[in-house]
């Protein structure tokens, strides 16, 4: 093979390699995650929940702040308790949708932490915190708890556990707000309600560990080893 064809092939190789390299750089810059400037972020990074949106009625909700608490060094500590009373000053007592909202902020260094929310010993929510950034994050989780209607219409004890560890390395403290939104049913046709949840349970029996016995790591049953067995006794009404 003469020198001219070899030079032509080498030139074509360099041309293709250059175009490929340029395309890769553009693709990487398009998905760049670090900030373009050195200006520090002053607002919290908002994380969002990847789930199917809750279908809500068009009525204005009656919102009830259940708990506001800062979870710092809470690993192995008792759950945080609060008294819960059903809504009494809401104009309507017929609710077609009830939504539990968990909202939290955190700033610093921290890992994801497991947390749980119980009402009257019934587990309403179990999830995991979002890992914070140095400039801070904020995230919100919403869950439809309408199926717990009969439970929510009586005085109960709210228990919230979030096992967090704070020291000179893990500095993030979770600032938590827990709110329940009661959406009144839409009244049409001379008072017939529309948009209800259908048939609801008259009684809900908790099978979690019972307060105040479970005062170290929430109301879950903790399995210590392969032979450990946990149980809970409860009575089902005869007319169930």
């Amino acid at each position: 093979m003469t020198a001219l064809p070899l030079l032509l092939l080498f030139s074509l190789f360099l041309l293709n390699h250059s175009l490929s390299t340029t395309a890769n750089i553009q693709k990487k810059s398009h998905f760049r995650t670090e900030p373009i400037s050195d200006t520090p972020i002053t607002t919290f990074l908002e994380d969002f929940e990847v789930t199917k949106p809750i279908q809500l009625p068009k009525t204005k909700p009656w919102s009830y702040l259940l708990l506001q608490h800062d979870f710092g060094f809470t690993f192995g500590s008792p759950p945080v308790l609060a008294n819960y009373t059903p809504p009494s000053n809401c104009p309507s007592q017929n609710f077609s949708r009830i939504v539990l909202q968990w909202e939290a902020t955190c700033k610093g260094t921290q890992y994801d932490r497991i947390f749980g929310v119980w009402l009257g010993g019934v587990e309403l929510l179990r999830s995991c915190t979002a890992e914070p950034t140095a400039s801070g994050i904020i995230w919100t989780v919403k869950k439809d708890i309408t199926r717990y209607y009969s439970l929510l219409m009586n005085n109960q004890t709210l228990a919230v556990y979030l096992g967090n560890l704070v020291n000179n390395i893990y500095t993030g403290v979770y600032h938590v707000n827990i709110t329940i939104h009661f959406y009144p049913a839409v009244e049409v046709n001379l008072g017939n309600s529309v948009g209800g949840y259908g048939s609801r349970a008259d009684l809900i029996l908790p099978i979690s560990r019972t307060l105040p016995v479970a005062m170290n790591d929430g109301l879950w049953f903790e399995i210590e080893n392969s032979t450990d067995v946990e149980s809970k006794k409860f009575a089902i009404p005869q007319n169930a």
Side-chain angles (χ1 to χ4, degrees), residues 36-93:
I36 299 177
S37 66
D38 295 331
T39 304
I41 301 175
T42 56
T43 57
F44 280 12
L45 175 67
E46 182 177 358
D47 291 3
F48 61 92
E49 180 186 12
V50 183
T51 186
K52 183 179 179 180
I54 301 173
Q55 293 184 354
L56 300 175
K58 295 182 180 181
T59 54
K60 184 179 179 180
W62 184 88
S63 299
Y64 178 13
L65 179 63
L66 294 181
L67 180 71
Q68 188 174 51
H69 190 78
D70 298 333
F71 290 88
F73 191 86
T74 53
F75 186 79
S77 298
V80 177
L81 305 180
N83 293 325
Y84 167 83
T85 56
S88 58
N89 57 347
C90 182
S92 173
Q93 294 298 309

Side-chain angles (χ1 to χ4, degrees), residues 203-224:
L203 178 66
I204 300 175
L205 301 176
I207 58 173
S208 58
R209 290 197 296 176
T210 305
L211 288 169
V213 177
M215 295 301 290
N216 293 323
D217 52 4
L219 307 190
W220 299 298
F221 292 100
E222 184 176 356
I223 306 301
E224 299 286 351

